[in-house]
Amino acid sequence: MIKIPTLSREQQLRSHTTGRLVGLVGAVVLIGSAYLPWAYGSAALDDMTFLGGPSPLQFCGLALGVLVLAALLVPRLIGVGRFRHRLGWVRAAKAASTGALVFLLLVLVSIALELGGLVNVMYGGWVALAGGAASFVGTRLMAADRAPTIAAAQAPQWLEILLIALTVGAAMLAAAFALNLSGGGAFVTFVTFVATVVAVLIRSGLMQWLSAASARHRKVLILAAFVVAFAFPFTQGGSDANMSIATQVLIFAGTAMGLNIVVGLAGLLDLGYIAFLGAGAFTSAILSESAFSTVGWHPPFIVVVLISACISATLGLIIGSPTLRVSGDYLAIVTLAFGEIFRISMNNLDGTDGPLLTRGSNGIPAVPDLVLFGYDFGQRHTVLGLELGRFSNYYFLLLVMVGLFILVFTRLNNSRIGRGWVAIREDEKAAEAMGVNVFGLKVFAFAGGAFLAGVAGSIKAHQDISVTPDQYIFLESAFLLAAIVLGGMGTVLGVLVGATLLKLMPEKLRFVNEYRLLIFGLLLVLMMRFRPEGLVASRRRALEFHEEDEELAERIEDELEVRAATKGTTR
């Protein structure tokens, strides 16, 4: 047996002190390097050629240096040992330094690729990389601190509400800034910066505190989120390109919310869910006033939405009733076959191989814009002095749709039905033995998820102007499922985060079009290795995947005690 030598207490202290000093020097160098030129030409990223005038991405590097500096310096200045609740200062410093090093490497690689070689990296870029590397090495020499307990702390109500509002507002500004970035390299580096900030919040314990504060002021969080979401189009300066991406994200998120009922709550693997979105879209297009519509009946859109949703739900019942008696891989194969059957059937309803309904592979083009209560969604409107285009109009409608979907999902999740779904997901035999109507709840999950997808599809048909069978292929179902797994199954915020990332990143990474699926696959592999429960996981799933993590169990127990105490106080 090989014995691993351990450092003495004195050696550990010396290494910790040296690491802190090296980390501080690296952070200061990184902060100062932001005022030096990083690139030789202005075409790289966001013009990093100025001396004394940092670009936005250079300010991001400066901010990461400030985070490292604060995490290493603040504990010594304020004497944190006297506080009852502590933050994970060293953990935060390590996360910030790691993120800073990755951020700087991506910046230098982007400059080299966009300008034609590393020779185009100016001295400021190398100074920044040296500072990031020094802070990384220094923090790695430091001993890890104890787990943060700040999650159990309570601040004055006005302060908690203010911080919640500021966090939501910062998220909107970050999303608006990311959409306005034109280059793929700039987008990737900024996403790395945002991910680093989130990692620092998580490692320090502030994210857990913010989560507990949000639970205490849930109504404030919901109100702030929707106010910020409604204000988002006013930050885009009338850009149809950015708002088009935003509407696609909302459609994708709304559809994923329906699939989250099937997969996240009931635990049923559905690989053909995109068919329900297509059924709603085709129904809405057929009943629209398009010149290519094959049906002479054109009811109001409110009626069309209900019909589209009911047809999708009926398809869910048809596919669910005979097939939900199987489970696991067999259910996945059946649902995959159903998705392909739907696409082939839409191709065959062309008047030659079958009835004339969908016009085959040509689909139904020229679907007119919606007109609800006299409001034409296809016209530009001026609101508060700002001009809103066609996609902004659909954005507001889709935002209301997603809000209703979230309400439905949370109500179901917290009801007896939701508890039955979770029981089926955990152990179907045990749930049936306890009297849960397993088959009935499975069918209801399929029908309910399909109903929501039908609503999203009916709006998508008008927003996309045309509907064709090739829009609803297996790859789209795989992306929907990946959004749920990536974000966190069974959670609302997780689905929204996963859907946003998977819909936004392909739009911004067109410069690596041939490798997008490869990059996507690598990201999923890394997620399954380091965070299998998803980016925003429920407590149950976090404990399932990290049963050996005693620190996580203690933190969750503390949060539950805080919530129980808060409820007792409010009562």
Side-chain angles (χ1 to χ4, degrees):
M1 183 181 236
I2 300 175
K3 292 185 178 180
I4 300 175
T6 58
L7 297 177
S8 65
R9 177 66 178 172
E10 182 180 352
Q11 290 174 324
Q12 290 178 353
L13 183 60
R14 189 182 303 116
S15 174
H16 186 84
T17 305
T18 303
R20 182 186 295 274
L21 180 60
V22 173
L24 286 172
V25 172
V28 171
V29 171
L30 178 55
I31 293 171
S33 68
Y35 293 90
L36 303 176
W38 288 9
Y40 183 76
S42 60
L45 299 177
D46 57 350
D47 194 358
M48 300 179 170
T49 59
F50 292 100
L51 176 64
S55 70
L57 286 178
Q58 284 178 300
F59 269 118
C60 291
L62 185 150
L64 293 178
V66 171
L67 286 177
V68 177
L69 186 66
L72 296 177
L73 204 57
V74 169
R76 288 295 183 90
L77 294 178
I78 64 175
V80 295
R82 47 195 182 145
F83 291 98
R84 178 184 173 188
H85 301 289
R86 61 178 179 271
L87 276 77
W89 294 101
V90 177
R91 296 164 183 257
K94 290 184 176 182
S97 62
T98 303
L101 183 59
V102 174
F103 173 85
L104 293 169
L105 288 173
L106 288 173
V107 167
L108 298 190
V109 170
S110 298
I111 293 174
L113 291 176
E114 294 180 15
L115 295 181
L118 286 174
V119 69
N120 294 286
V121 178
M122 293 289 286
Y123 63 93
W126 298 113
V127 171
L129 182 62
S135 63
F136 175 80
V137 172
T139 55
R140 285 301 174 279
L141 293 174
M142 299 176 64
D145 49 359
R146 290 180 294 172
T149 59
I150 190 66
Q154 291 192 35
Q157 285 193 1
W158 66 268
L159 180 59
E160 292 184 346
I161 292 173
L162 177 62
L163 290 176
I164 290 172
L166 289 176
T167 302
V168 175
M172 184 201 72
L173 293 177
F177 182 79
L179 276 176
N180 286 318
L181 290 173
S182 56
F187 176 78
V188 172
T189 52
F190 181 72
V191 169
T192 303
F193 166 74
V194 174
T196 302
V197 173
V198 173
V200 169
L201 293 176
I202 293 174
R203 297 295 291 170
S204 65
L206 288 174
M207 185 64 77
Q208 289 77 14
W209 178 86
L210 188 61
S211 175
S214 300
R216 291 192 289 269
H217 306 283
R218 186 175 298 275
K219 293 181 180 179
V220 174
L221 175 64
I222 295 173
L223 178 62
F226 273 96
V227 167
V228 165
F230 271 103
F232 179 77
F234 297 100
T235 66
Q236 298 305 305
S239 171
D240 282 339
N242 289 346
M243 292 312 303
S244 173
I245 296 175
T247 54
Q248 293 296 333
V249 168
L250 288 180
I251 291 174
F252 194 72
T255 309
M257 196 66 66
L259 181 59
N260 200 22
I261 294 177
V262 181
V263 177
L265 295 183
L268 305 173
L269 185 57
D270 187 351
L271 297 180
Y273 186 78
I274 196 66
F276 302 129
L277 179 70
F282 269 106
T283 302
S284 185
I286 291 171
L287 297 179
S288 71
E289 295 182 359
S290 169
F292 299 91
S293 174
T294 55
V295 175
W297 182 47
H298 310 295
F301 179 69
I302 300 299
V303 178
V304 172
V305 169
L306 294 176
I307 294 175
S308 301
C310 289
I311 288 178
S312 295
T314 303
L315 287 177
L317 290 174
I318 292 174
I319 186 63
S321 297
T323 60
L324 287 181
R325 299 186 186 279
V326 298
S327 59
D329 298 338
Y330 300 101
L331 178 61
I333 293 172
V334 171
T335 54
L336 172 62
F338 169 69
E340 289 301 300
I341 289 171
F342 171 81
R343 183 180 61 82
I344 294 172
S345 299
M346 295 301 102
N347 273 314
N348 289 338
L349 297 179
D350 57 356
T352 302
D353 298 320
L356 180 60
L357 281 179
T358 65
R359 302 177 62 86
S361 59
N362 294 323
I364 302 176
V367 179
D369 285 304
L370 290 175
V371 179
L372 290 178
F373 308 109
Y375 188 88
D376 190 347
F377 284 73
Q379 299 297 321
R380 302 185 75 88
H381 301 274
T382 302
V383 179
L384 300 177
L386 295 173
E387 190 176 23
L388 299 178
R390 173 178 179 272
F391 292 106
S392 296
N393 299 328
Y394 281 101
Y395 174 87
F396 290 122
L397 178 62
L398 290 167
L399 194 61
V400 173
M401 178 200 76
V402 171
L404 292 175
F405 284 9
I406 292 174
L407 180 63
V408 170
F409 180 86
T410 52
R411 292 296 184 184
L412 285 174
N413 189 19
N414 296 327
S415 67
R416 184 177 62 182
I417 295 175
R419 291 193 293 272
W421 281 334
V422 172
I424 294 172
R425 185 189 70 194
E426 298 300 323
D427 193 325
E428 183 176 330
K429 296 297 182 183
E432 189 173 11
M434 295 301 293
V436 176
N437 185 358
V438 173
F439 181 75
L441 287 180
K442 280 185 175 182
V443 172
F444 182 65
F446 249 76
F451 186 92
L452 298 184
V455 173
S458 64
I459 300 176
K460 177 178 170 62
H462 292 272
Q463 193 264 333
D464 288 348
I465 301 178
S466 65
V467 181
T468 59
D470 291 338
Q471 292 175 312
Y472 307 100
I473 58 178
F474 163 71
L475 190 60
E476 294 298 322
S477 291
F479 269 91
L480 284 170
L481 183 62
I484 296 173
V485 175
L486 178 67
M489 289 195 294
T491 63
V492 172
L493 183 58
V495 170
L496 296 178
V497 171
T500 301
L501 288 177
L502 289 187
K503 204 64 180 179
L504 184 61
M505 292 186 71
E507 294 292 335
K508 291 295 183 178
L509 298 180
R510 292 185 180 275
F511 69 102
V512 288
N513 187 42
E514 295 125 3
Y515 305 102
R516 280 190 294 177
L517 287 179
L518 174 63
I519 295 172
F520 171 66
L522 290 175
L523 287 176
L524 282 182
V525 170
L526 291 175
M527 279 294 302
M528 294 303 100
R529 169 60 182 86
F530 295 104
R531 196 172 176 84
E533 70 272 21
L535 294 174
V536 186
S538 63
R539 291 177 179 81
R540 180 191 295 272
R541 295 194 66 81
L543 286 175
E544 286 175 0
F545 285 103
H546 301 280
E547 293 179 353
E548 74 285 353
D549 195 340
E550 297 180 0
E551 177 187 319
L552 176 63
E554 292 176 0
R555 190 178 73 233
I556 291 176
E557 186 177 350
D558 292 339
E559 291 180 9
L560 293 176
E561 290 178 359
V562 170
R563 289 195 177 190
T566 304
K567 288 182 179 180
T569 304
T570 54
R571 289 177 183 173

